[in-house]
Amino acid sequence: MITRHYPMLLLSIILLGGTLASCQEDDINDKEPESSIQLASNDTLGQYLVDQDGYTLYFFTQDVSGNSDCNGDCANNWPIVQNESARLGSGLQDADFGSVSWEGDAVQTTFKGWPLYRFQGDSQPGEINGDGQDGHWFVAKPDYSVMLAHQVIEGDTLSQYIVDPEGRTLYYHFPDEQDVSNCKVGCIEERPVFFAGENLILPSGLGLDKFDIIVREDGKRQSSYKKRAMYSYVQDGFRGSILSHIAADWTVARVSWTKPGEGD
């Protein structure tokens, strides 16, 4: 005589199905959430920032103060990045990211103080069509040695000049000679030497051949651009400040500037 235990068999199937479903749910929950900002790289640019879909992110040189200067038609072509709780990919640090208020109630993500944007002209992930646009837009890289900035310095015309990676202004000293610093004791305390390093990472608007390293009399190394030594200024308490420009014998490190009587 054959005894059938269908209820017990059915119960076993139900329990097994529940166990499998629970395991599948655990697997899903254990997966790493997708990074909303991450690093990409190519042979030309090295590393640069992209969003979760792989679209390139950019800096705007007029944002040197740390606030966005892109609105209206500009914002239509360059949408802001909004990730108040960004999940960061490998190689990126929380301390480098922040946020600033944008129009209305919007909040824009920043990297090392620079507001971040996408470019409408990038139609697919991996494109970098915005780099160098109008001389004001550059791909957002984590390791720039210097950066370019634009702001009105004299009159009503934007000037292009060089800043450090965090947007602090760099300066030239009028009494300096080509590849020679004449800012010494009594001067260098207020205008510290700027040294960008040896292996420079530059925005595409700057030529590597224009940079050099000066070895000063005090043994320190100093970066120069077009043979002009570069300095910071201790009184510039915030990014975008140009206080030393109004002092005698000093000017911001403009890309196009040459000392009267000297060649490029």
Side-chain angles (χ1 to χ4, degrees), residues 6-264:
Y6 292 135
M8 185 61 69
L9 178 60
L10 180 60
L11 178 60
S12 298
I13 292 172
I14 292 172
L15 290 174
L16 179 60
T19 300
L20 290 173
S22 177
C23 290
Q24 290 175 344
E25 184 176 347
D26 288 342
D27 288 343
I28 293 172
N29 291 335
D30 287 343
K31 288 182 179 178
E32 282 289 325
E34 188 177 10
S35 301
S36 52
I37 299 179
Q38 51 198 322
L39 288 173
S41 65
N42 66 30
D43 293 339
T44 302
L45 290 173
Q47 291 188 320
Y48 59 99
L49 273 62
V50 298
D51 67 11
Q52 68 272 15
D53 298 315
Y55 283 91
T56 304
L57 304 184
Y58 296 90
F59 296 147
F60 184 35
T61 59
Q62 288 177 220
D63 291 349
V64 64
S65 70
N67 294 307
S68 174
D69 198 38
C70 178
N71 46 57
D73 289 340
C74 174
N76 292 331
N77 290 321
W78 301 89
I80 68 171
V81 174
Q82 300 183 73
N83 281 307
E84 291 188 61
S85 300
R87 297 183 301 275
L88 304 180
S90 176
L92 295 174
Q93 305 295 323
D94 286 334
D96 289 329
F97 288 84
S99 60
V100 291
S101 298
W102 198 67
E103 294 184 345
D105 297 326
V107 176
Q108 184 172 8
T109 302
T110 64
F111 179 72
K112 293 186 177 179
W114 294 94
L116 292 171
Y117 303 82
R118 299 179 182 87
F119 180 44
Q120 291 288 55
D122 289 338
S123 59
Q124 58 185 357
E127 291 189 340
I128 313 175
N129 296 320
D131 189 48
Q133 285 280 330
D134 303 320
H136 288 235
W137 295 92
F138 297 98
V139 63
K141 292 177 58 62
D143 53 359
Y144 278 128
S145 304
V146 297
M147 186 55 191
L148 285 169
H150 280 90
Q151 70 168 301
V152 174
I153 295 174
E154 297 167 344
D156 56 2
T157 303
L158 285 172
S159 291
Q160 184 186 55
Y161 62 101
I162 303 171
V163 296
D164 76 4
E166 285 75 37
R168 291 184 289 267
T169 303
L170 300 178
Y171 297 91
Y172 301 138
H173 186 215
F174 286 138
D176 285 356
E177 301 167 47
Q178 291 191 350
D179 283 331
V180 175
S181 170
N182 289 315
C183 179
K184 302 175 183 179
V185 177
C187 167
I188 204 65
E189 293 80 7
E190 284 287 306
R191 274 88 177 182
V193 164
F194 174 73
F195 180 57
E198 295 183 354
N199 301 312
L200 301 184
I201 306 296
L202 304 174
S204 57
L206 288 172
L208 185 60
D209 61 330
K210 301 294 185 183
F211 286 84
D212 206 346
I213 297 174
I214 297 171
V215 179
R216 297 166 46 84
E217 289 183 2
D218 57 14
K220 293 180 179 179
R221 294 191 294 174
Q222 185 170 10
S223 295
S224 68
Y225 180 74
K226 293 183 179 179
K227 301 185 179 298
R228 310 306 309 182
M230 293 190 291
Y231 308 79
S232 59
Y233 183 41
V234 296
Q235 298 299 322
D236 282 338
F238 52 91
R239 56 182 298 135
S241 172
I242 53 172
L243 290 178
S244 194
H245 182 70
I246 62 176
D249 294 337
W250 294 90
T251 182
V252 298
R254 280 179 279 205
V255 173
S256 60
W257 186 83
T258 55
K259 185 177 179 179
E262 292 182 352
D264 192 0

